[in-house]
Amino acid sequence: MFKYLRIVIATLVMTVSVFAFANELKPDQVPVGFTVLGSKTPERYNDYPIPTGFTEKSPENLNTLKLECTPHEISQGYVVFTKNYLDIIYPTTQPRRAEVVNQVSLFSAQGEYEPVTFSVHALKKLDNLRVSVSRLSNGSNTINANCIDLRSVRCVPRRVWRENSYIIRPTMLEKRDSVTVEPGRTQRYWMTIWTPSGKEPGIYTGTVTIQANGLEDFTLNVKHDVLDLDLEPSNIPQGMYYLAVDSTHKDFPALSDETIYKDVINMKEHGM
């Protein structure tokens, strides 16, 4: 009962404090919606044992047709491709030629968090694969790099419902300095851009730099269309439905007050 009350109070507090913070964001400050996110996968996922008798299952509608690469792509050692962020990318996903790009594009309203994703498909082993993003510019107007959150997607074994099988599925977004990608495997990256309220509308551009040991750097252009638009606050109560409090199930312990508070902030930042 009291935990539910704390959620309500936290929501009311965030109604005032989140918008105040957003309107007063300094150039070197990180948007509040990014500050409540974790950075590393829990240790238990680093060596998660597969139960005896369980077998790996191939995802449905998985593209396994290998791309016919150009000589330059083969020399480069990898290709970069993009799909809608709602499409699932597995470690074994193969890119289609139409998905191979040197630019990602997105648009957003004022004060909105907007995601875009890109993936690196390895043609050879990629040691110390690293990505970094620049600020976005539109003439003298900028969206600073601290308003851009760039994460690698971690895939882990997830049980198929009511089956003794599992699928390696994307599950968590992490802040990792580098990763290693084996030949024929795909590593996805998830980038979220927060556009400060009052930002001058127009096209903002920047770059993502992709690097791996012993290979040529790759520059992925970013094109972000900032609309002359503010989203209206929702006129109905909204929130994420999930198991958070007062759980007695041994596999689903109640979340801490700190975690619940962060969840509420994150919901409020996304218009709930």
Side-chain angles (χ1 to χ4, degrees), residues 53-57 158-161 163-167:
F54 277 67
T55 58
E56 183 175 355
K57 186 175 183 178
R158 304 296 299 270
R159 182 181 181 180
V160 177
W161 180 247
E163 292 184 15
N164 288 343
S165 61
Y166 63 92
I167 295 175

Side-chain angles (χ1 to χ4, degrees), residues 95-261:
R96 294 182 170 90
R97 174 52 61 187
E99 298 167 345
V100 177
V101 296
N102 61 9
Q103 177 177 285
V104 291
S105 302
L106 67 159
F107 65 90
S108 75
Q110 307 281 326
E112 183 181 6
Y113 293 86
E114 184 66 21
V116 66
T117 73
F118 61 90
S119 300
V120 178
H121 180 71
L123 303 178
K124 60 179 66 174
K125 185 175 181 179
L126 304 180
D127 288 313
N128 197 23
L129 178 64
R130 314 174 297 285
V131 297
S132 58
V133 62
S134 72
R135 69 179 185 177
L136 307 182
S137 300
N138 173 15
S140 61
N141 302 298
T142 61
I143 297 176
N144 292 331
N146 58 288
C147 293
I148 305 173
D149 187 69
L150 181 56
R151 294 170 179 263
S152 58
V153 178
R154 179 186 282 263
C155 298
V156 299
R158 304 296 299 270
R159 182 181 181 180
V160 177
W161 180 247
R162 294 185 176 180
E163 292 184 15
N164 288 343
S165 61
Y166 63 92
I167 295 175
I168 307 296
R169 296 178 58 89
T171 304
M172 288 160 283
L173 303 177
E174 294 183 293
K175 286 279 193 180
R176 289 191 278 179
D177 294 332
S178 67
V179 297
T180 297
V181 186
E182 297 296 331
R185 309 288 279 187
T186 294
Q187 173 63 56
R188 192 179 205 178
Y189 290 91
W190 189 285
M191 182 166 63
T192 304
I193 299 175
W194 181 74
T195 302
S197 297
K199 185 61 63 176
E200 183 71 21
I203 303 296
Y204 289 72
T205 59
T207 57
V208 170
T209 301
I210 300 172
Q211 301 172 296
N213 288 356
L215 298 176
E216 179 183 351
D217 293 355
F218 183 88
T219 298
L220 180 68
N221 297 308
V222 180
K223 178 183 177 182
H224 180 35
D225 188 0
V226 175
L227 305 179
D228 188 10
L229 174 68
D230 288 291
L231 297 179
E232 292 288 335
S234 175
N235 58 4
I236 59 173
Q238 297 183 59
M240 295 180 66
Y241 180 78
Y242 69 121
L243 193 61
V245 296
D246 297 336
S247 171
T248 57
H249 195 288
K250 63 181 180 65
D251 293 328
F252 301 99
L255 300 180
S256 67
D257 289 350
E258 179 184 6
T259 298
I260 294 172
Y261 187 71

